[in-house]
Amino acid sequence: QVQLVESGGGVVQPGKSLRLSCAASGFSFDTYAMHWVRQAPGKGLEWVALISFDGGYKKFADSVKGRFTISRDNSKNTLFLQLNSLTRDDTGIYYCARDRRAITVANYWFDPWGQGTLVTVSS
Amino acid sequence: DIQMTQSPSSLSASVGDRVTITCRASQSVSTYLNWYQQKPGTAPKLLIYDASILQTGVPSRFSGSGSGTDFTLTITSLQPEDFATYYCQQSYSDLPERTFGQGTKVEIK
Protein backbone atom coordinates (compact mmCIF):
# COMPACT_ATOMS: atom_id res chain seq x y z
CA GLN A 1 0.00 0.00 0.00
CA VAL A 2 0.99 3.63 -0.36
CA GLN A 3 3.19 4.57 2.57
CA LEU A 4 5.37 7.44 3.72
CA VAL A 5 7.72 7.03 6.67
CA GLU A 6 9.61 9.99 8.12
CA SER A 7 12.77 9.79 10.18
CA GLY A 8 15.59 11.96 11.41
CA GLY A 9 13.87 14.03 14.04
CA GLY A 10 15.33 14.62 17.47
CA VAL A 11 16.47 17.20 19.98
CA VAL A 12 18.82 19.84 18.62
CA GLN A 13 20.26 23.06 20.00
CA PRO A 14 19.29 26.44 18.55
CA GLY A 15 21.45 27.33 15.59
CA LYS A 16 22.21 23.73 14.75
CA SER A 17 21.10 21.59 11.81
CA LEU A 18 19.08 18.47 11.21
CA ARG A 19 18.21 16.39 8.16
CA LEU A 20 14.84 14.72 7.86
CA SER A 21 14.05 11.85 5.51
CA CYS A 22 10.80 10.50 4.14
CA ALA A 23 10.85 7.01 2.62
CA ALA A 24 8.10 6.34 0.10
CA SER A 25 6.72 3.01 -0.99
CA GLY A 26 3.74 1.55 -2.81
CA PHE A 27 3.61 4.11 -5.61
CA SER A 28 5.72 5.62 -8.38
CA PHE A 29 7.56 8.17 -6.26
CA ASP A 30 9.21 9.85 -9.26
CA THR A 31 5.85 10.90 -10.72
CA TYR A 32 4.62 12.97 -7.79
CA ALA A 33 5.46 16.30 -6.26
CA MET A 34 6.05 16.12 -2.53
CA HIS A 35 5.57 18.46 0.42
CA TRP A 36 6.69 18.97 3.99
CA VAL A 37 4.09 20.25 6.46
CA ARG A 38 4.80 20.91 10.13
CA GLN A 39 2.77 21.28 13.28
CA ALA A 40 4.00 23.08 16.38
CA PRO A 41 2.89 21.56 19.70
CA GLY A 42 -0.82 22.17 20.18
CA LYS A 43 -1.03 24.28 17.03
CA GLY A 44 -2.36 23.97 13.51
CA LEU A 45 -0.82 22.83 10.26
CA GLU A 46 1.80 24.92 8.47
CA TRP A 47 3.02 24.13 4.98
CA VAL A 48 6.82 24.29 4.82
CA ALA A 49 8.17 23.30 1.40
CA LEU A 50 7.42 21.57 -1.88
CA ILE A 51 9.45 19.90 -4.59
CA SER A 52 8.37 18.84 -8.05
CA PHE A 53 8.57 15.28 -9.30
CA ASP A 54 12.06 15.75 -10.73
CA GLY A 55 13.42 18.16 -8.15
CA GLY A 56 13.53 20.98 -10.66
CA TYR A 57 11.02 23.22 -8.89
CA LYS A 58 11.13 24.03 -5.21
CA LYS A 59 9.26 26.49 -3.01
CA PHE A 60 9.45 27.39 0.68
CA ALA A 61 7.35 29.14 3.25
CA ASP A 62 8.67 32.59 4.17
CA SER A 63 9.28 31.36 7.72
CA VAL A 64 11.94 28.88 6.56
CA LYS A 65 13.24 30.46 3.36
CA GLY A 66 17.03 30.61 3.29
CA ARG A 67 17.35 28.15 6.20
CA PHE A 68 15.67 24.97 4.93
CA THR A 69 16.34 23.08 1.73
CA ILE A 70 14.29 20.32 0.14
CA SER A 71 15.60 17.58 -2.10
CA ARG A 72 14.74 14.11 -3.31
CA ASP A 73 16.49 10.97 -4.49
CA ASN A 74 14.13 9.26 -6.90
CA SER A 75 16.46 6.27 -7.23
CA LYS A 76 15.92 5.62 -3.52
CA ASN A 77 12.30 6.80 -3.30
CA THR A 78 13.30 9.24 -0.59
CA LEU A 79 12.47 12.87 0.18
CA PHE A 80 14.67 15.06 2.35
CA LEU A 81 14.39 18.26 4.32
CA GLN A 82 17.58 19.93 5.52
CA LEU A 83 16.92 22.22 8.49
CA ASN A 84 19.65 24.78 9.20
CA SER A 85 19.93 27.62 11.71
CA LEU A 86 17.17 26.13 13.77
CA THR A 87 15.22 28.24 16.25
CA ARG A 88 12.75 27.29 18.97
CA ASP A 89 9.93 28.28 16.60
CA ASP A 90 10.92 25.34 14.38
CA THR A 91 9.91 22.86 17.08
CA GLY A 92 7.15 20.53 16.00
CA ILE A 93 6.13 17.44 14.13
CA TYR A 94 7.25 17.39 10.51
CA TYR A 95 5.09 15.46 8.06
CA CYS A 96 5.82 14.58 4.48
CA ALA A 97 2.84 14.39 2.16
CA ARG A 98 2.26 13.50 -1.45
CA ASP A 99 0.76 15.89 -3.99
CA ARG A 100 -1.84 14.67 -6.46
CA ARG A 101 0.32 15.49 -9.48
CA ALA A 102 3.91 15.74 -10.67
CA ILE A 103 3.95 19.50 -10.09
CA THR A 104 1.96 21.65 -7.71
CA VAL A 105 -0.63 23.68 -9.58
CA ALA A 106 -4.08 24.81 -8.55
CA ASN A 107 -6.48 22.18 -7.25
CA TYR A 108 -4.01 20.02 -5.36
CA TRP A 109 -4.25 18.19 -2.08
CA PHE A 110 -2.04 16.32 0.33
CA ASP A 111 -2.60 12.59 0.40
CA PRO A 112 -1.31 10.48 1.96
CA TRP A 113 0.71 11.79 4.89
CA GLY A 114 3.48 10.11 6.80
CA GLN A 115 3.25 9.57 10.55
CA GLY A 116 5.56 12.50 11.22
CA THR A 117 8.88 12.99 12.95
CA LEU A 118 9.34 15.25 15.98
CA VAL A 119 11.91 18.02 15.95
CA THR A 120 12.63 19.71 19.26
CA VAL A 121 14.86 22.77 19.28
CA SER A 122 16.09 23.35 22.80
CA SER A 123 19.26 24.24 24.62
CA ASP B 1 -2.09 35.59 0.20
CA ILE B 2 -5.47 33.96 0.58
CA GLN B 3 -6.51 33.74 4.23
CA MET B 4 -8.65 30.85 5.46
CA THR B 5 -10.87 31.26 8.50
CA GLN B 6 -12.70 28.38 10.12
CA SER B 7 -15.56 28.65 12.56
CA PRO B 8 -16.05 27.72 15.23
CA SER B 9 -12.57 27.06 16.60
CA SER B 10 -14.04 24.33 18.75
CA LEU B 11 -17.38 22.78 19.47
CA SER B 12 -18.90 20.24 21.83
CA ALA B 13 -21.34 17.73 20.45
CA SER B 14 -22.93 14.42 21.33
CA VAL B 15 -22.92 11.15 19.45
CA GLY B 16 -25.68 11.30 16.85
CA ASP B 17 -25.61 15.09 16.51
CA ARG B 18 -25.41 16.88 13.20
CA VAL B 19 -22.27 19.00 13.08
CA THR B 20 -21.43 21.79 10.66
CA ILE B 21 -18.04 23.47 10.33
CA THR B 22 -17.56 26.56 8.21
CA CYS B 23 -14.51 27.68 6.26
CA ARG B 24 -14.30 31.10 4.66
CA ALA B 25 -11.68 32.27 2.18
CA SER B 26 -10.56 35.90 1.92
CA GLN B 27 -11.10 35.71 -1.84
CA SER B 28 -12.68 33.24 -4.20
CA VAL B 29 -11.00 29.84 -4.40
CA SER B 30 -13.58 28.37 -6.79
CA THR B 31 -14.12 24.82 -5.50
CA TYR B 32 -10.45 24.28 -4.73
CA LEU B 33 -11.09 23.52 -1.09
CA ASN B 34 -10.14 20.38 0.79
CA TRP B 35 -10.93 19.05 4.26
CA TYR B 36 -8.70 16.98 6.55
CA GLN B 37 -9.36 15.13 9.78
CA GLN B 38 -6.68 14.80 12.43
CA LYS B 39 -7.11 12.60 15.47
CA PRO B 40 -4.82 13.16 18.47
CA GLY B 41 -1.35 11.76 17.96
CA THR B 42 -1.91 10.90 14.32
CA ALA B 43 -1.27 12.47 10.95
CA PRO B 44 -3.97 14.39 9.10
CA LYS B 45 -6.12 12.41 6.71
CA LEU B 46 -7.77 13.73 3.55
CA LEU B 47 -11.55 13.59 3.89
CA ILE B 48 -12.94 15.69 1.06
CA TYR B 49 -11.35 17.29 -1.97
CA ASP B 50 -12.59 19.75 -4.53
CA ALA B 51 -15.12 21.02 -1.96
CA SER B 52 -17.52 18.09 -2.12
CA ILE B 53 -15.87 14.88 -3.30
CA LEU B 54 -15.40 12.23 -0.63
CA GLN B 55 -12.01 10.56 -0.58
CA THR B 56 -12.21 6.80 -1.03
CA GLY B 57 -13.14 5.05 2.18
CA VAL B 58 -14.60 8.10 3.93
CA PRO B 59 -18.03 7.38 5.44
CA SER B 60 -21.01 8.94 3.72
CA ARG B 61 -22.04 10.80 6.90
CA PHE B 62 -19.36 13.31 5.90
CA SER B 63 -20.22 15.82 3.21
CA GLY B 64 -18.79 19.06 1.90
CA SER B 65 -20.34 21.93 0.03
CA GLY B 66 -19.67 25.43 -1.13
CA SER B 67 -17.84 27.40 -3.76
CA GLY B 68 -16.21 30.79 -4.05
CA THR B 69 -15.49 31.94 -0.52
CA ASP B 70 -17.85 29.96 1.73
CA PHE B 71 -17.63 26.26 2.45
CA THR B 72 -19.08 23.81 4.94
CA LEU B 73 -18.16 20.40 6.25
CA THR B 74 -21.13 18.50 7.64
CA ILE B 75 -21.21 15.33 9.69
CA THR B 76 -24.80 14.12 9.66
CA SER B 77 -24.66 11.77 12.65
CA LEU B 78 -21.55 12.20 14.76
CA GLN B 79 -19.85 8.95 15.71
CA PRO B 80 -17.34 8.37 18.53
CA GLU B 81 -14.50 8.05 16.03
CA ASP B 82 -15.29 11.48 14.56
CA PHE B 83 -14.05 13.41 17.56
CA ALA B 84 -11.01 15.09 16.07
CA THR B 85 -9.71 18.36 14.67
CA TYR B 86 -10.78 19.33 11.17
CA TYR B 87 -8.81 21.58 8.83
CA CYS B 88 -9.80 23.21 5.60
CA GLN B 89 -7.17 23.87 2.94
CA GLN B 90 -7.41 26.03 -0.15
CA SER B 91 -5.51 25.05 -3.27
CA TYR B 92 -6.45 27.93 -5.54
CA SER B 93 -3.01 29.49 -5.31
CA ASP B 94 -0.10 27.44 -6.64
CA LEU B 95 2.00 28.36 -3.63
CA PRO B 96 0.66 26.63 -0.49
CA GLU B 97 1.79 29.42 1.88
CA ARG B 98 -0.83 29.76 4.65
CA THR B 99 -2.99 27.23 2.81
CA PHE B 100 -4.70 25.78 5.91
CA GLY B 101 -7.45 27.10 8.13
CA GLN B 102 -6.69 27.24 11.83
CA GLY B 103 -8.66 24.09 12.59
CA THR B 104 -11.90 23.19 14.37
CA LYS B 105 -11.75 20.82 17.30
CA VAL B 106 -14.81 18.63 17.73
CA GLU B 107 -15.09 17.47 21.33
CA ILE B 108 -17.43 15.20 23.21
CA LYS B 109 -20.21 16.95 25.12
Side-chain angles (χ1 to χ4, degrees):
Chain A
Q1 75 279 21
V2 176
Q3 193 171 15
L4 298 170
V5 179
E6 300 94 335
S7 60
V11 180
V12 60
Q13 293 178 330
K16 299 296 188 181
S17 300
L18 208 57
R19 189 194 200 201
L20 308 182
S21 299
C22 168
S25 60
F27 66 100
S28 298
F29 179 70
D30 59 357
T31 64
Y32 289 91
M34 297 293 296
H35 300 261
W36 286 98
V37 177
R38 70 182 180 183
Q39 187 169 36
K43 302 297 185 181
L45 301 170
E46 179 190 17
W47 172 81
V48 172
L50 71 85
I51 186 167
S52 62
F53 72 106
D54 61 353
Y57 182 78
K58 305 173 185 179
K59 282 292 184 182
F60 299 91
D62 286 344
S63 58
V64 306
K65 201 173 294 182
R67 299 188 299 120
F68 290 10
T69 58
I70 188 171
S71 61
R72 63 192 297 161
D73 184 341
N74 285 344
S75 68
K76 296 182 178 177
N77 293 342
T78 304
L79 173 72
F80 301 101
L81 186 68
Q82 178 70 39
L83 293 63
N84 297 328
S85 303
L86 285 161
T87 73
R88 287 179 175 82
D89 289 343
D90 297 316
T91 293
I93 298 173
Y94 284 71
Y95 298 101
C96 62
R98 189 183 72 176
D99 198 299
R100 66 176 291 221
R101 302 186 187 95
I103 58 174
T104 299
V105 294
N107 200 17
Y108 57 89
W109 47 83
F110 307 114
D111 180 65
W113 299 57
Q115 88 288 350
T117 187
L118 177 62
V119 173
T120 303
V121 184
S122 173
S123 53
Chain B
D1 289 354
I2 300 173
Q3 306 299 320
M4 306 303 295
T5 304
Q6 289 182 233
S7 60
S9 296
S10 64
L11 65 91
S12 295
S14 301
V15 173
D17 283 355
R18 179 185 180 94
V19 169
T20 298
I21 298 169
T22 297
C23 179
R24 176 164 288 174
S26 59
Q27 66 185 73
S28 176
V29 297
S30 183
T31 60
Y32 298 164
L33 191 287
N34 311 310
W35 291 96
Y36 299 85
Q37 176 194 62
Q38 186 179 33
K39 298 180 182 180
T42 70
K45 169 189 163 184
L46 178 67
L47 282 182
I48 289 170
Y49 59 92
D50 212 9
S52 62
I53 303 174
L54 252 60
Q55 174 67 325
T56 303
V58 174
S60 58
R61 62 181 179 273
F62 290 92
S63 65
S65 65
S67 66
T69 60
D70 294 311
F71 302 86
T72 58
L73 171 69
T74 300
I75 310 172
T76 52
S77 178
L78 197 66
Q79 297 302 299
E81 60 268 29
D82 301 336
F83 291 96
T85 300
Y86 295 85
Y87 294 92
C88 64
Q89 179 240 331
Q90 66 83 13
S91 61
Y92 186 81
S93 54
D94 292 350
L95 184 61
E97 187 101 43
R98 284 176 282 280
T99 187
F100 295 99
Q102 82 277 17
T104 296
K105 186 174 184 179
V106 176
E107 298 176 298
I108 302 172
K109 182 183 280 186

